[in-house]
Structures are given as structure tokens and as C-alpha cells.
Amino acid sequence: EPEVTQTPSHQVTQMGQEVILRCVPISNHLYFYWYRQILGQKVEFLVSFYNNEISEKSEIFDDQFSVERPDGSNFTLKIRSTKLEDSAMYFCASSGQGGHQETQYFGPGTRLLVL
Amino acid sequence: KNQVEQSPQSLIILEGKNCTLQCNYTVSPFSNLRWYKQDTGRGPVSLTIMTFSENTKSNGRYTATLDADTKQSSLHITASQLSDSASYICVVSGGSNYQLIWGAGTKLIIKP
């Protein structure tokens, strides 16, 4: 069964450093998402991406964040200058043509620790 | 304000027993309601997705109900197994931009 994959599974970085989290969505999906989950808290929406552009973003997704689909398969989240409070699990998700009406399939997540 | 509230916050039951988890929402306009299962340290996995016109939907031992009038949903788990231990999250799609609004989840522990 096709699945969303994410790399790396864990990332430790120093405050102020840039990190890039990578995702490979399910191959025929058209909508892509990033979420984060701080330990013990709710899943929070960051951004959705469709047709090579951001379709929605939350207040969390400020100028420090950017997303890109550099080729036909990868979908990346970049944090330019990490802060301690960026420490969280970051999940990528994808869904098919129906967009918000369809099930979103989540990857296993990248655990980011900012020191 | 668009919100999703779940109860109980946590629940411990014995293997083989049934349980029901609750979800209340104040999301308008409403598009659909989803239940996800999230194992510790893993990504959420979809169990069911229901639109306005659906009252109940099953996925194996999981049965979700939706009352769009009272804005309540429940997830019933039948004959629980140890592998059911996880967080169960209610998520509502709606609002002006159809974002997913996440509940805090119910942490379910199944004891042998």
C-alpha cells in the first residue's frame, strides 16, 4: 500500500540554524500538508500546498518557514533560523483530488529538537 | 470560534471490553468529521470520515456516529484489543477555508 515517507526521522540542531525536513507524498496525490505536534499537545496545521503554491497557511507559518516541491516527488519544509520553541514532531500529509473532502494520509513524522 | 472538544481526556479499560469516545464541535460551516488513531510517536492514521448526511460509519471494530444537529460525534470500539492503545483524535473540516480543526484527543489504554 502506498505511504507517505519522511526523512530524517530525528533531527537535532542548534538554535539559529536552518533545517530542511523532507517528505515524499503518495505519488498520485495533489494536495500536500505540513503539521506539527509539540510533545503532549494537539496537532497544529502549518500549511497546505496545491498546484505548486501555498493554498492555506496558519499563523504559525511565519516568514521563518517555507515550503517547496523541488521535483515531482519531494515536498520540503524549511525553517530558516530555528528557535527553541520549534522543537516538535513535524508531520507531512497528502490527499487526492478531492482536497479537503478527502482523507489525508500522514507520514511517520520527523522529530526536531532545537538546542 | 471553531473548536473541537473531546472527552474523556484519558480512559483505561480491560482487553475485550467496549468503549465510547466523545467529540463535540463548534465549527461552521461544517464539511466533514474524521476520527484518527495516533500511536505514540507516529503519524495519525485515518479511521473514518463522515459528511453532513452520514449518521454512522464503521471500520472493522470501530464505529463512528455523527449528529450534525447537536454537533456531536462518538467513536465506539468493540471488543478492545491491546493494539487499540493509542490516542484517538476527532478532527473537523470546516470554517471559511476548510482547514482541519483538531481535537486534543482521548488517550486510550487497554490493559490485559
Side-chain angles (χ1 to χ4, degrees):
Chain A
E1 185 174 326
E3 57 183 20
V4 177
T5 60
Q6 290 186 242
T7 55
S9 59
H10 294 77
Q11 173 101 42
V12 181
T13 190
Q14 294 290 327
M15 191 169 58
Q17 294 297 304
E18 174 184 286
V19 296
I20 298 176
L21 310 182
R22 292 184 168 80
C23 168
V24 179
I26 293 172
S27 63
N28 61 348
H29 280 183
L30 301 178
Y31 292 80
F32 314 115
Y33 311 85
W34 282 102
Y35 294 87
R36 79 172 185 192
Q37 187 175 30
I38 295 169
L39 188 64
Q41 296 188 22
K42 290 184 188 186
V43 174
E44 299 174 290
F45 168 75
L46 292 178
V47 65
S48 60
F49 192 86
Y50 171 72
N51 201 26
N52 283 320
E53 61 183 24
I54 291 173
S55 49
E56 296 289 342
K57 60 181 181 179
S58 72
E59 291 174 354
I60 303 168
F61 194 87
D62 61 21
D63 293 343
Q64 292 299 315
F65 292 89
S66 62
V67 289
E68 198 176 38
R69 188 153 161 84
D71 53 41
S73 59
N74 289 287
F75 180 50
T76 62
L77 174 70
K78 183 193 289 187
I79 309 174
R80 286 192 185 81
S81 177
T82 49
K83 307 183 192 97
L84 296 176
E85 54 265 36
D86 293 327
S87 295
M89 192 77 143
Y90 287 81
F91 294 108
C92 171
S94 69
S95 62
Q97 294 183 30
H100 65 84
Q101 294 286 14
E102 288 209 13
T103 296
Q104 293 183 16
Y105 294 86
F106 285 76
T110 293
R111 186 175 296 281
L112 176 65
L113 178 61
V114 182
L115 301 176
Chain B
K1 185 181 176 185
N2 291 322
Q3 282 188 316
V4 175
E5 301 289 337
Q6 291 188 245
S7 62
Q9 193 172 26
S10 61
L11 182 63
I12 302 173
I13 64 171
L14 292 176
E15 185 180 10
K17 298 296 186 185
N18 304 335
C19 66
T20 300
L21 315 180
Q22 302 290 344
C23 172
N24 297 332
Y25 61 92
T26 55
V27 178
S28 182
F30 172 87
S31 177
N32 56 66
L33 185 144
R34 307 149 188 241
W35 283 93
Y36 280 91
K37 177 186 179 188
Q38 186 178 25
D39 292 313
T40 301
R42 306 298 304 270
V45 174
S46 178
L47 296 175
T48 62
I49 177 170
M50 290 189 291
T51 59
F52 182 87
S53 58
E54 296 174 290
N55 317 92
T56 185
K57 187 168 269 191
S58 291
N59 178 359
R61 293 179 297 103
Y62 301 104
T63 299
T65 65
L66 173 63
D67 185 335
D69 291 330
T70 61
K71 298 188 177 181
Q72 295 180 324
S73 175
S74 66
L75 180 70
H76 186 74
I77 304 174
T78 305
S80 59
Q81 299 175 359
L82 296 178
S83 58
D84 292 334
S85 293
S87 285
Y88 291 84
I89 309 173
C90 176
V91 187
V92 178
S93 173
S96 57
N97 53 9
Y98 297 103
Q99 279 188 18
L100 297 189
I101 299 148
W102 293 71
T106 292
K107 187 174 176 63
L108 177 64
I109 298 171
I110 310 297
K111 291 204 162 181

